[in-house]
């Protein structure tokens, strides 16, 4: 695989075989960031569960203490009487059928998070095939199907992230930007890992957190000794 000069320079800073303390790992990620833009820092956590079984699913959402550093565009599906409140809370778009049609007919996706009131889920359900694969389908577990749209919008804008297993039983989640510095990234890391540990299914057997790696958008991965945080 071809790697650019910046990546190779950054990789020299990191011992691939080592398990770093979380704070040290995040400091290395910041040092190794060579891109000309403010890279996102992600956490990749492999869990000792089998997500094919319903009783071993791990999914939830948390508002990171320092946010994500990303401007989140929020679309709210709600009845007319709640549109004004949703927009006042900071939603970028709020409405009903007009947005369903806009997505269906214009392939419109100018949003990052979708929130819906329970009474709109029958309508939003028509978009399952397009929103689902993009991870945008509202769900009660993630707190994005709720009658309290104002609170949900404020949380989304404040840096709420949703974590869920992929097909390989790994959770991939942003924990901020390189510009945050190691201290703020560490606070976000502790909050996210704590939420994942709390969400441990009763059916999970053996070691729950198998591995934990952090990396910036363009940088190499750094392995974390996650057991120290548990």
């Amino acid at each position: 695989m071809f790697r650019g000069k910046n990546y190779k320079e950054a990789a020299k800073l990191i011992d691939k075989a080592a398990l770093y303390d979380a704070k040290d790992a995040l400091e290395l990620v910041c040092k190794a960031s060579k891109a000309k833009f403010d890279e996102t820092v992600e956490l990749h956590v492999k869990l000792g569960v089998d997500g094919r079984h319903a009783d071993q699913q791990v999914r939830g959402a948390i508002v990171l203490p320092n946010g994500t550093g990303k401007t989140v565009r929020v679309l709210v599906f709600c009845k007319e009487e709640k549109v004004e409140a949703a927009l006042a809370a900071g939603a970028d778009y709020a409405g009903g059928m007009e947005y369903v049609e806009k997505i269906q007919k214009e392939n419109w996706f100018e949003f990052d998070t979708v929130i819906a009131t329970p009474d709109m889920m029958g309508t939003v359900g028509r978009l399952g095939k397009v929103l689902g694969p993009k991870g945008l389908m509202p769900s009660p577990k993630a707190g994005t199907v709720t009658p309290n749209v104002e609170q949900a919008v404020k949380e989304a804008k404040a840096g709420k992230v949703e974590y869920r297993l992929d097909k390989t039983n790994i959770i991939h989640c942003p924990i901020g930007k390189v510009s945050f510095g190691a201290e703020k990234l560490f606070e976000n890391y502790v909050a996210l890992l704590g939420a994942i540990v709390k969400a441990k299914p009763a059916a999970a057997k053996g070691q729950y957190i198998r591995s934990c790696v952090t990396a910036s958008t363009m940088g190499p991965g750094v392995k974390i000794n996650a057991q120290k945080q548990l």
Side-chain angles (χ1 to χ4, degrees):
M1 189 179 185
F2 174 76
R3 296 292 193 188
K5 192 176 87 176
N6 283 346
Y7 183 96
K8 285 175 183 167
E9 285 297 313
K12 286 177 190 170
L13 301 169
I14 295 150
D15 178 352
K16 279 191 173 174
L19 274 181
Y20 291 91
D21 282 357
K23 210 172 266 187
D24 295 340
L26 292 162
E27 269 171 15
L28 273 174
V29 165
C30 293
K31 265 188 203 161
S33 171
K34 306 285 185 187
K36 289 188 170 75
F37 62 94
D38 192 6
E39 294 178 62
T40 295
V41 177
E42 286 204 343
L43 198 64
H44 308 277
V45 186
K46 185 165 181 64
L47 298 181
V49 296
D50 186 347
R52 290 173 301 178
H53 300 290
D55 62 353
Q56 292 189 47
Q57 272 297 325
V58 179
R59 184 179 183 181
I62 180 173
V63 178
L64 296 175
N66 300 302
T68 61
K70 185 182 171 194
T71 304
V72 180
R73 299 164 300 174
V74 179
L75 165 62
V76 176
F77 284 106
C78 59
K79 294 275 167 74
E80 207 173 309
E81 60 270 19
K82 288 203 170 181
V83 166
E84 214 168 288
L87 293 171
D92 298 85
Y93 314 98
M97 203 58 209
E98 69 272 30
Y99 286 110
V100 173
E101 287 174 359
K102 195 170 170 66
I103 291 165
Q104 285 174 330
K105 292 175 184 172
E106 298 173 30
N107 202 25
W108 175 76
F109 288 101
E110 298 293 312
F111 48 88
D112 308 293
T113 297
V114 182
I115 293 163
T117 52
D119 57 6
M120 287 299 288
M121 282 311 288
T123 305
V124 179
R126 300 175 199 188
L127 298 171
K129 280 184 181 170
V130 289
L131 293 182
K134 290 179 183 286
L136 289 168
M137 193 65 187
S139 90
K141 266 196 174 172
T144 45
V145 176
T146 172
N148 190 350
V149 289
E150 296 97 316
Q151 187 187 339
V153 169
K154 282 173 184 164
E155 285 180 350
K157 290 284 185 181
K160 186 177 191 177
V161 292
E162 190 180 341
Y163 56 88
R164 61 192 298 183
L165 285 178
D166 70 5
K167 284 176 183 166
T168 59
N169 300 313
I170 298 175
I171 286 172
H172 309 272
C173 218
I175 54 168
K177 297 279 188 184
V178 166
S179 61
F180 281 21
E183 197 64 47
K184 284 186 173 179
L185 288 169
F186 178 70
E187 287 170 8
N188 281 357
Y189 159 82
V190 170
L192 177 62
L193 199 70
I196 292 170
V197 170
K198 263 191 196 162
K200 180 181 178 179
K205 299 286 179 275
Q207 190 180 344
Y208 180 52
I209 293 190
R210 294 280 171 87
S211 69
C212 189
V213 176
T214 183
S216 62
T217 310
M218 308 291 285
V222 184
K223 292 176 188 167
I224 295 177
N225 183 358
Q227 301 305 321
K228 278 202 167 181
Q229 229 58 51
L230 307 179

